[in-house]
Amino acid sequence: MTGECLHTLGPNPSDMSTSGHRRKINALAVNLAQSYQVATSGGNGDSQILLWNVNRGELTCDLNANLRNQSPGLPCMDALEFCGQNSLICGSDSSGGPAIVQIWDVQSPDLVSSFPANDSYITSLKANPSGTVVAAGAGDGSVGLFDIKTGGGIVRLPLGSNFEVTSVSFSSCGTYLQASSTSNRTFVWDMRMLSMDPGPMPVQSPLKLADIISRKVRALHCLSHGVPMPTSENAGQMPGFVDEGDEGINDARWFHDKSILVTASGNGSIAMWDMSLGDPCVRHMISHTRCVNTIAISPDDRHMCSGGDDQKVVSFLFLYLLP
């Protein structure tokens, strides 16, 4: 209402005795079931996973304090995702070994399970709407699916070892899973076609990659924005080039009430895809002169905004229902 800063969570230069992060914050997540509860994770040299009460501006729990005391070299967590009211799912950096997923009960608070999920750092985590399965996308170009209750491995889907997974998410109905990558493509699976029976929880190493040509894991759609644009250190002076790491799909968002996906590419384009169609591309728009970094969709699915490296925010209004 006023724009006034209500709380500063953590230490400041004049009072380093206050509890909080001493290094950069890698990730943040809000518990939608208890919106006053926020989780944060620290970067290298910190590795804390902290729970805050933002209404009171207080630290409520240092989740992994005991783990840090037992193993000072814990990897930092690069992705956080609340699932339901009590579960917090964390995905780690690789730190020279497999990246791990931790599932915490934030009410106890106890570590429910911890297991190797991917060969490289985890870039994105998302739980399905029913809160039974978590998808973990990683820098090794794979997406692992795991049972949240048991930590059991379900399947590890390959997108391509030369590319990094940039985002994973489930449609609001839970029917579809999307995984985007720096290949400038998005794969979409129909969850009804995948075998969702969990196996044992991985212990020493991640699940083996599924056979990409197997009908059991075949993607429903492969959505492409075209060949990734060439990169250049001087991208700002050379139109048609993008910065290193921006040449793929940088963001992907589902409509709230329809199985429609919007993807944003480093080539400056935005595309809308309807999963119910054999040819899913509904619209393909060039909205930015440089890389599109992020998109947001209003709760009523009638407005959308995008932001890009060209320092523009572009707003869209849909006056009629999509087919």
Side-chain angles (χ1 to χ4, degrees):
M1 296 296 291
T2 65
E4 177 187 3
C5 178
L6 299 178
H7 304 290
T8 298
L9 308 179
N12 58 63
S14 61
D15 182 18
M16 291 302 291
S17 63
T18 304
S19 298
H21 295 291
R22 262 54 181 186
R23 298 288 188 273
K24 70 175 183 177
I25 294 175
N26 275 358
L28 179 149
V30 177
N31 188 346
L32 297 181
Q34 302 180 94
S35 58
Y36 63 86
Q37 188 175 67
V38 171
T40 56
S41 63
N44 288 326
D46 185 311
S47 300
Q48 299 180 94
I49 305 173
L50 305 180
L51 292 179
W52 306 87
N53 184 313
V54 295
N55 285 349
R56 298 197 301 264
E58 296 176 354
L59 176 67
T60 56
C61 183
D62 184 343
L63 272 184
N64 63 348
N66 290 336
L67 279 181
R68 296 198 312 275
N69 291 333
Q70 298 169 10
S71 306
L74 283 179
C76 55
M77 295 295 160
D78 288 343
L80 301 177
E81 167 83 356
F82 277 102
C83 178
Q85 183 171 337
N86 297 330
S87 296
L88 175 66
I89 308 171
C90 309
S92 82
D93 195 348
S94 52
S95 299
I100 63 171
V101 164
Q102 294 177 345
I103 301 177
W104 294 84
D105 183 334
V106 296
Q107 298 300 320
S108 305
D110 290 318
L111 179 62
V112 176
S113 57
S114 178
F115 49 86
N118 304 81
D119 291 323
S120 185
Y121 52 93
I122 292 174
T123 58
S124 182
L125 281 175
K126 193 61 67 174
N128 66 344
S130 61
T132 58
V133 174
V134 62
D140 60 10
S142 72
V143 177
L145 298 181
F146 304 92
D147 182 86
I148 291 176
K149 185 177 181 179
T150 66
I154 298 173
V155 67
R156 187 166 165 227
L157 303 166
L159 275 68
S161 59
N162 294 326
F163 304 105
E164 176 184 300
V165 177
T166 54
S167 73
V168 295
S169 62
F170 294 89
S171 61
S172 57
C173 61
T175 302
Y176 303 104
L177 165 69
Q178 73 82 21
S180 302
S181 78
T182 53
S183 68
N184 222 14
R185 296 186 297 175
T186 297
F187 291 86
V188 178
W189 287 268
D190 187 330
M191 298 296 291
R192 296 168 298 186
M193 305 302 292
L194 295 176
S195 174
M196 300 304 294
D197 296 328
M201 184 173 66
V203 178
Q204 298 295 332
S205 59
L207 296 175
K208 291 183 178 180
L209 286 171
D211 186 353
I212 195 170
I213 63 174
S214 170
R215 293 178 61 89
K216 295 181 179 180
V217 298
R218 185 174 300 173
L220 176 67
H221 295 297
C222 179
L223 314 175
S224 176
H225 278 260
V227 178
M229 297 172 68
T231 60
S232 170
E233 293 181 357
N234 300 313
Q237 290 79 41
M238 301 178 65
F241 286 71
V242 297
D243 294 314
E244 186 72 32
D246 285 342
E247 66 271 28
I249 305 298
N250 293 314
D251 202 3
R253 305 280 174 170
W254 291 97
F255 272 39
H256 299 86
D257 292 326
K258 303 178 183 69
S259 297
I260 293 174
L261 181 70
V262 183
T263 53
S265 170
N267 64 17
S269 68
I270 294 173
M272 301 178 66
W273 317 87
D274 188 339
M275 298 304 121
S276 66
L277 303 178
D279 182 4
C281 187
V282 176
R283 289 193 179 95
H284 193 256
M285 303 164 284
I286 304 295
S287 58
H288 292 266
T289 56
R290 292 187 61 197
C291 167
V292 187
N293 294 315
T294 185
I295 46 182
I297 300 172
S298 65
D300 61 3
D301 294 332
R302 295 183 65 85
H303 297 82
M304 181 176 71
C305 288
S306 62
D309 277 2
D310 54 5
Q311 301 175 352
K312 291 195 302 183
V313 174
V314 180
S315 180
F316 303 85
L317 171 63
F318 305 117
L319 297 177
Y320 54 90
L321 294 177
L322 293 165

